[in-house]
Amino acid sequence: MTTVSRTFTVGPAPDVVVPYLADFGHAEQWDPGTERCTRNDGGPVRVGSSWHNTSKIAGISTELTYTLEQLSADRIVLVGRNDTATSTETIDVVPDGSGSRLTYTNDLEFKGAAKLAAPLGKVVFEKLGNDTERQLTDVLNGLGR
């Protein structure tokens, strides 16, 4: 399993950040690997909501179905699955002054022959973690304007 984690602060409070991030359709704005992310169901975003995500990482395109598996005032857990990988994205959000402190963790488990790519994946995903932190910080800070 490959794990990448980043902790950082943003200006908006958790009551702004959590609903925004729970709607994974916004990943097109904050996830540098996401090319397209569309909701599979309708109605309010809730545990069980799902999205079809198309990403390109290190030149390789992949499609996953993400499901919102946990949602509370301080935690979002989204799990993306396909035949070759499971990506679990956990975002913890706590108050930090008038803003928020986020801990974003992505656990990526490769399946089958894709397991051979795991050592190389760690290097690629560490860089992606840096890019995600930067882009997510910019987007979230823009929500407070």
mmCIF file with all atom_site columns, all heavy atoms in Angstrom, residues 28-43:
data_model
loop_
_atom_site.group_PDB
_atom_site.id
_atom_site.type_symbol
_atom_site.label_atom_id
_atom_site.label_alt_id
_atom_site.label_comp_id
_atom_site.label_asym_id
_atom_site.label_entity_id
_atom_site.label_seq_id
_atom_site.pdbx_PDB_ins_code
_atom_site.Cartn_x
_atom_site.Cartn_y
_atom_site.Cartn_z
_atom_site.occupancy
_atom_site.B_iso_or_equiv
_atom_site.pdbx_formal_charge
_atom_site.auth_seq_id
_atom_site.auth_comp_id
_atom_site.auth_asym_id
_atom_site.auth_atom_id
_atom_site.pdbx_PDB_model_num
ATOM 1   N N   . GLU A 1 28 ? -12.367 18.154 -9.697  1.00 0.00 ? 28 GLU A N   1
ATOM 2   C CA  . GLU A 1 28 ? -11.846 18.737 -10.939 1.00 0.00 ? 28 GLU A CA  1
ATOM 3   C C   . GLU A 1 28 ? -11.122 20.050 -10.656 1.00 0.00 ? 28 GLU A C   1
ATOM 4   O O   . GLU A 1 28 ? -10.206 20.422 -11.380 1.00 0.00 ? 28 GLU A O   1
ATOM 5   C CB  . GLU A 1 28 ? -12.980 18.985 -11.934 1.00 0.00 ? 28 GLU A CB  1
ATOM 6   C CG  . GLU A 1 28 ? -13.587 17.728 -12.498 1.00 0.00 ? 28 GLU A CG  1
ATOM 7   C CD  . GLU A 1 28 ? -14.729 18.018 -13.469 1.00 0.00 ? 28 GLU A CD  1
ATOM 8   O OE1 . GLU A 1 28 ? -14.916 19.185 -13.874 1.00 0.00 ? 28 GLU A OE1 1
ATOM 9   O OE2 . GLU A 1 28 ? -15.429 17.058 -13.826 1.00 0.00 ? 28 GLU A OE2 1
ATOM 10  N N   . GLN A 1 29 ? -11.535 20.758 -9.613  1.00 0.00 ? 29 GLN A N   1
ATOM 11  C CA  . GLN A 1 29 ? -10.933 22.048 -9.283  1.00 0.00 ? 29 GLN A CA  1
ATOM 12  C C   . GLN A 1 29 ? -9.689  21.904 -8.420  1.00 0.00 ? 29 GLN A C   1
ATOM 13  O O   . GLN A 1 29 ? -8.757  22.699 -8.543  1.00 0.00 ? 29 GLN A O   1
ATOM 14  C CB  . GLN A 1 29 ? -11.965 22.926 -8.561  1.00 0.00 ? 29 GLN A CB  1
ATOM 15  C CG  . GLN A 1 29 ? -13.176 23.221 -9.409  1.00 0.00 ? 29 GLN A CG  1
ATOM 16  C CD  . GLN A 1 29 ? -14.334 23.781 -8.592  1.00 0.00 ? 29 GLN A CD  1
ATOM 17  O OE1 . GLN A 1 29 ? -14.233 23.991 -7.392  1.00 0.00 ? 29 GLN A OE1 1
ATOM 18  N NE2 . GLN A 1 29 ? -15.447 24.024 -9.263  1.00 0.00 ? 29 GLN A NE2 1
ATOM 19  N N   . TRP A 1 30 ? -9.665  20.912 -7.511  1.00 0.00 ? 30 TRP A N   1
ATOM 20  C CA  . TRP A 1 30 ? -8.561  20.867 -6.544  1.00 0.00 ? 30 TRP A CA  1
ATOM 21  C C   . TRP A 1 30 ? -7.603  19.689 -6.689  1.00 0.00 ? 30 TRP A C   1
ATOM 22  O O   . TRP A 1 30 ? -6.513  19.718 -6.126  1.00 0.00 ? 30 TRP A O   1
ATOM 23  C CB  . TRP A 1 30 ? -9.089  20.933 -5.111  1.00 0.00 ? 30 TRP A CB  1
ATOM 24  C CG  . TRP A 1 30 ? -10.012 19.822 -4.691  1.00 0.00 ? 30 TRP A CG  1
ATOM 25  C CD1 . TRP A 1 30 ? -11.373 19.864 -4.658  1.00 0.00 ? 30 TRP A CD1 1
ATOM 26  C CD2 . TRP A 1 30 ? -9.643  18.529 -4.207  1.00 0.00 ? 30 TRP A CD2 1
ATOM 27  N NE1 . TRP A 1 30 ? -11.873 18.670 -4.201  1.00 0.00 ? 30 TRP A NE1 1
ATOM 28  C CE2 . TRP A 1 30 ? -10.832 17.840 -3.899  1.00 0.00 ? 30 TRP A CE2 1
ATOM 29  C CE3 . TRP A 1 30 ? -8.418  17.885 -3.994  1.00 0.00 ? 30 TRP A CE3 1
ATOM 30  C CZ2 . TRP A 1 30 ? -10.837 16.537 -3.399  1.00 0.00 ? 30 TRP A CZ2 1
ATOM 31  C CZ3 . TRP A 1 30 ? -8.418  16.583 -3.496  1.00 0.00 ? 30 TRP A CZ3 1
ATOM 32  C CH2 . TRP A 1 30 ? -9.623  15.936 -3.210  1.00 0.00 ? 30 TRP A CH2 1
ATOM 33  N N   . ASP A 1 31 ? -7.970  18.665 -7.422  1.00 0.00 ? 31 ASP A N   1
ATOM 34  C CA  . ASP A 1 31 ? -7.098  17.492 -7.579  1.00 0.00 ? 31 ASP A CA  1
ATOM 35  C C   . ASP A 1 31 ? -6.378  17.575 -8.919  1.00 0.00 ? 31 ASP A C   1
ATOM 36  O O   . ASP A 1 31 ? -7.012  17.464 -9.967  1.00 0.00 ? 31 ASP A O   1
ATOM 37  C CB  . ASP A 1 31 ? -7.929  16.218 -7.504  1.00 0.00 ? 31 ASP A CB  1
ATOM 38  C CG  . ASP A 1 31 ? -7.088  14.956 -7.655  1.00 0.00 ? 31 ASP A CG  1
ATOM 39  O OD1 . ASP A 1 31 ? -5.848  15.046 -7.788  1.00 0.00 ? 31 ASP A OD1 1
ATOM 40  O OD2 . ASP A 1 31 ? -7.682  13.856 -7.645  1.00 0.00 ? 31 ASP A OD2 1
ATOM 41  N N   . PRO A 1 32 ? -5.052  17.781 -8.900  1.00 0.00 ? 32 PRO A N   1
ATOM 42  C CA  . PRO A 1 32 ? -4.334  17.966 -10.160 1.00 0.00 ? 32 PRO A CA  1
ATOM 43  C C   . PRO A 1 32 ? -4.395  16.763 -11.103 1.00 0.00 ? 32 PRO A C   1
ATOM 44  O O   . PRO A 1 32 ? -4.220  16.928 -12.307 1.00 0.00 ? 32 PRO A O   1
ATOM 45  C CB  . PRO A 1 32 ? -2.897  18.258 -9.730  1.00 0.00 ? 32 PRO A CB  1
ATOM 46  C CG  . PRO A 1 32 ? -2.802  17.885 -8.308  1.00 0.00 ? 32 PRO A CG  1
ATOM 47  C CD  . PRO A 1 32 ? -4.189  17.872 -7.740  1.00 0.00 ? 32 PRO A CD  1
ATOM 48  N N   . GLY A 1 33 ? -4.679  15.576 -10.608 1.00 0.00 ? 33 GLY A N   1
ATOM 49  C CA  . GLY A 1 33 ? -4.775  14.406 -11.473 1.00 0.00 ? 33 GLY A CA  1
ATOM 50  C C   . GLY A 1 33 ? -6.139  14.233 -12.116 1.00 0.00 ? 33 GLY A C   1
ATOM 51  O O   . GLY A 1 33 ? -6.278  13.556 -13.135 1.00 0.00 ? 33 GLY A O   1
ATOM 52  N N   . THR A 1 34 ? -7.168  14.825 -11.524 1.00 0.00 ? 34 THR A N   1
ATOM 53  C CA  . THR A 1 34 ? -8.537  14.627 -12.018 1.00 0.00 ? 34 THR A CA  1
ATOM 54  C C   . THR A 1 34 ? -8.783  15.426 -13.288 1.00 0.00 ? 34 THR A C   1
ATOM 55  O O   . THR A 1 34 ? -8.581  16.629 -13.324 1.00 0.00 ? 34 THR A O   1
ATOM 56  C CB  . THR A 1 34 ? -9.573  15.013 -10.943 1.00 0.00 ? 34 THR A CB  1
ATOM 57  O OG1 . THR A 1 34 ? -9.449  14.099 -9.851  1.00 0.00 ? 34 THR A OG1 1
ATOM 58  C CG2 . THR A 1 34 ? -10.989 14.941 -11.481 1.00 0.00 ? 34 THR A CG2 1
ATOM 59  N N   . GLU A 1 35 ? -9.228  14.718 -14.317 1.00 0.00 ? 35 GLU A N   1
ATOM 60  C CA  . GLU A 1 35 ? -9.618  15.369 -15.568 1.00 0.00 ? 35 GLU A CA  1
ATOM 61  C C   . GLU A 1 35 ? -11.123 15.592 -15.612 1.00 0.00 ? 35 GLU A C   1
ATOM 62  O O   . GLU A 1 35 ? -11.589 16.579 -16.144 1.00 0.00 ? 35 GLU A O   1
ATOM 63  C CB  . GLU A 1 35 ? -9.189  14.521 -16.762 1.00 0.00 ? 35 GLU A CB  1
ATOM 64  C CG  . GLU A 1 35 ? -7.682  14.423 -16.898 1.00 0.00 ? 35 GLU A CG  1
ATOM 65  C CD  . GLU A 1 35 ? -7.263  13.666 -18.136 1.00 0.00 ? 35 GLU A CD  1
ATOM 66  O OE1 . GLU A 1 35 ? -7.935  12.679 -18.516 1.00 0.00 ? 35 GLU A OE1 1
ATOM 67  O OE2 . GLU A 1 35 ? -6.252  14.065 -18.725 1.00 0.00 ? 35 GLU A OE2 1
ATOM 68  N N   . ARG A 1 36 ? -11.870 14.640 -15.045 1.00 0.00 ? 36 ARG A N   1
ATOM 69  C CA  . ARG A 1 36 ? -13.324 14.736 -15.064 1.00 0.00 ? 36 ARG A CA  1
ATOM 70  C C   . ARG A 1 36 ? -13.885 13.954 -13.883 1.00 0.00 ? 36 ARG A C   1
ATOM 71  O O   . ARG A 1 36 ? -13.380 12.878 -13.546 1.00 0.00 ? 36 ARG A O   1
ATOM 72  C CB  . ARG A 1 36 ? -13.846 14.148 -16.363 1.00 0.00 ? 36 ARG A CB  1
ATOM 73  C CG  . ARG A 1 36 ? -15.259 14.547 -16.647 1.00 0.00 ? 36 ARG A CG  1
ATOM 74  C CD  . ARG A 1 36 ? -15.635 14.235 -18.069 1.00 0.00 ? 36 ARG A CD  1
ATOM 75  N NE  . ARG A 1 36 ? -16.991 13.696 -18.001 1.00 0.00 ? 36 ARG A NE  1
ATOM 76  C CZ  . ARG A 1 36 ? -17.548 12.980 -18.918 1.00 0.00 ? 36 ARG A CZ  1
ATOM 77  N NH1 . ARG A 1 36 ? -16.896 12.667 -19.996 1.00 0.00 ? 36 ARG A NH1 1
ATOM 78  N NH2 . ARG A 1 36 ? -18.764 12.549 -18.781 1.00 0.00 ? 36 ARG A NH2 1
ATOM 79  N N   . CYS A 1 37 ? -14.934 14.502 -13.265 1.00 0.00 ? 37 CYS A N   1
ATOM 80  C CA  . CYS A 1 37 ? -15.556 13.828 -12.124 1.00 0.00 ? 37 CYS A CA  1
ATOM 81  C C   . CYS A 1 37 ? -17.036 14.168 -12.129 1.00 0.00 ? 37 CYS A C   1
ATOM 82  O O   . CYS A 1 37 ? -17.414 15.322 -11.925 1.00 0.00 ? 37 CYS A O   1
ATOM 83  C CB  . CYS A 1 37 ? -14.884 14.280 -10.824 1.00 0.00 ? 37 CYS A CB  1
ATOM 84  S SG  . CYS A 1 37 ? -15.302 13.240 -9.406  1.00 0.00 ? 37 CYS A SG  1
ATOM 85  N N   . THR A 1 38 ? -17.880 13.170 -12.408 1.00 0.00 ? 38 THR A N   1
ATOM 86  C CA  . THR A 1 38 ? -19.311 13.406 -12.528 1.00 0.00 ? 38 THR A CA  1
ATOM 87  C C   . THR A 1 38 ? -20.085 12.533 -11.537 1.00 0.00 ? 38 THR A C   1
ATOM 88  O O   . THR A 1 38 ? -19.738 11.370 -11.315 1.00 0.00 ? 38 THR A O   1
ATOM 89  C CB  . THR A 1 38 ? -19.805 13.117 -13.958 1.00 0.00 ? 38 THR A CB  1
ATOM 90  O OG1 . THR A 1 38 ? -19.441 11.776 -14.318 1.00 0.00 ? 38 THR A OG1 1
ATOM 91  C CG2 . THR A 1 38 ? -19.193 14.071 -14.969 1.00 0.00 ? 38 THR A CG2 1
ATOM 92  N N   . ARG A 1 39 ? -21.108 13.116 -10.993 1.00 0.00 ? 39 ARG A N   1
ATOM 93  C CA  . ARG A 1 39 ? -21.938 12.435 -9.992  1.00 0.00 ? 39 ARG A CA  1
ATOM 94  C C   . ARG A 1 39 ? -22.762 11.339 -10.660 1.00 0.00 ? 39 ARG A C   1
ATOM 95  O O   . ARG A 1 39 ? -23.338 11.537 -11.738 1.00 0.00 ? 39 ARG A O   1
ATOM 96  C CB  . ARG A 1 39 ? -22.839 13.478 -9.323  1.00 0.00 ? 39 ARG A CB  1
ATOM 97  C CG  . ARG A 1 39 ? -23.743 12.948 -8.247  1.00 0.00 ? 39 ARG A CG  1
ATOM 98  C CD  . ARG A 1 39 ? -23.293 13.317 -6.862  1.00 0.00 ? 39 ARG A CD  1
ATOM 99  N NE  . ARG A 1 39 ? -24.192 12.760 -5.871  1.00 0.00 ? 39 ARG A NE  1
ATOM 100 C CZ  . ARG A 1 39 ? -25.081 13.455 -5.195  1.00 0.00 ? 39 ARG A CZ  1
ATOM 101 N NH1 . ARG A 1 39 ? -25.172 14.755 -5.371  1.00 0.00 ? 39 ARG A NH1 1
ATOM 102 N NH2 . ARG A 1 39 ? -25.860 12.855 -4.314  1.00 0.00 ? 39 ARG A NH2 1
ATOM 103 N N   . ASN A 1 40 ? -22.839 10.197 -10.006 1.00 0.00 ? 40 ASN A N   1
ATOM 104 C CA  . ASN A 1 40 ? -23.619 9.065  -10.509 1.00 0.00 ? 40 ASN A CA  1
ATOM 105 C C   . ASN A 1 40 ? -25.063 9.075  -10.035 1.00 0.00 ? 40 ASN A C   1
ATOM 106 O O   . ASN A 1 40 ? -25.898 8.380  -10.604 1.00 0.00 ? 40 ASN A O   1
ATOM 107 C CB  . ASN A 1 40 ? -22.986 7.733  -10.072 1.00 0.00 ? 40 ASN A CB  1
ATOM 108 C CG  . ASN A 1 40 ? -21.641 7.507  -10.718 1.00 0.00 ? 40 ASN A CG  1
ATOM 109 O OD1 . ASN A 1 40 ? -21.403 7.927  -11.844 1.00 0.00 ? 40 ASN A OD1 1
ATOM 110 N ND2 . ASN A 1 40 ? -20.747 6.857  -9.994  1.00 0.00 ? 40 ASN A ND2 1
ATOM 111 N N   . ASP A 1 41 ? -25.351 9.820  -8.978  1.00 0.00 ? 41 ASP A N   1
ATOM 112 C CA  . ASP A 1 41 ? -26.691 9.839  -8.407  1.00 0.00 ? 41 ASP A CA  1
ATOM 113 C C   . ASP A 1 41 ? -27.121 11.290 -8.215  1.00 0.00 ? 41 ASP A C   1
ATOM 114 O O   . ASP A 1 41 ? -26.396 12.203 -8.583  1.00 0.00 ? 41 ASP A O   1
ATOM 115 C CB  . ASP A 1 41 ? -26.732 9.058  -7.085  1.00 0.00 ? 41 ASP A CB  1
ATOM 116 C CG  . ASP A 1 41 ? -25.710 9.546  -6.070  1.00 0.00 ? 41 ASP A CG  1
ATOM 117 O OD1 . ASP A 1 41 ? -24.803 10.323 -6.444  1.00 0.00 ? 41 ASP A OD1 1
ATOM 118 O OD2 . ASP A 1 41 ? -25.805 9.166  -4.896  1.00 0.00 ? 41 ASP A OD2 1
ATOM 119 N N   . GLY A 1 42 ? -28.282 11.508 -7.644  1.00 0.00 ? 42 GLY A N   1
ATOM 120 C CA  . GLY A 1 42 ? -28.783 12.864 -7.461  1.00 0.00 ? 42 GLY A CA  1
ATOM 121 C C   . GLY A 1 42 ? -29.130 13.140 -6.013  1.00 0.00 ? 42 GLY A C   1
ATOM 122 O O   . GLY A 1 42 ? -28.923 12.310 -5.136  1.00 0.00 ? 42 GLY A O   1
ATOM 123 N N   . GLY A 1 43 ? -29.674 14.322 -5.792  1.00 0.00 ? 43 GLY A N   1
ATOM 124 C CA  . GLY A 1 43 ? -30.083 14.710 -4.450  1.00 0.00 ? 43 GLY A CA  1
ATOM 125 C C   . GLY A 1 43 ? -28.917 15.256 -3.645  1.00 0.00 ? 43 GLY A C   1
ATOM 126 O O   . GLY A 1 43 ? -27.822 15.466 -4.171  1.00 0.00 ? 43 GLY A O   1
#
